[in-house]
Amino acid sequence: MECFSDKDIRKIVEKQLSINATNFCKVAKFCSYGFPQVIKSLPIKDEKPFPTLNYLVCPYLIKEVSRLEEKG
């Protein structure tokens, strides 16, 4: 399992999401390789409620969930 600093984790999450993770709070679940799978988001962003508190950030799992959603 890899050990990453908070700064490294933020960079990994931003790379996984392909955006600047301004609402990132913490990692809720790491995979067996030590990479973030699910993150927690702050409930307020830009002084407005933010509806998504948990984000799936693992590229493999995102692909698999998308495949399942396509099947209905």
Side-chain angles (χ1 to χ4, degrees):
M1 183 167 151
E2 298 282 336
C3 292
F4 300 107
S5 71
D6 289 343
K7 192 175 183 180
D8 291 339
I9 289 173
R10 180 174 290 278
K11 285 181 184 178
I12 291 167
V13 168
E14 289 177 351
K15 181 134 177 109
Q16 288 173 322
L17 293 174
S18 299
I19 61 168
N20 186 7
T22 58
N23 213 34
F24 172 70
C25 181
K26 68 178 185 173
V27 176
K29 173 85 171 82
F30 287 94
C31 72
S32 59
Y33 297 103
F35 291 98
Q37 279 185 328
V38 178
I39 62 166
K40 295 269 187 195
S41 296
L42 298 170
I44 304 291
K45 181 178 182 179
D46 299 327
E47 299 181 18
K48 296 178 184 171
F50 192 74
T52 307
L53 299 179
N54 297 294
Y55 261 103
L56 184 62
V57 295
C58 172
Y60 172 76
L61 292 178
I62 290 170
K63 184 178 176 181
E64 290 300 307
V65 168
S66 295
R67 188 179 58 80
L68 289 172
E69 287 177 340
E70 285 176 5
K71 289 183 177 182

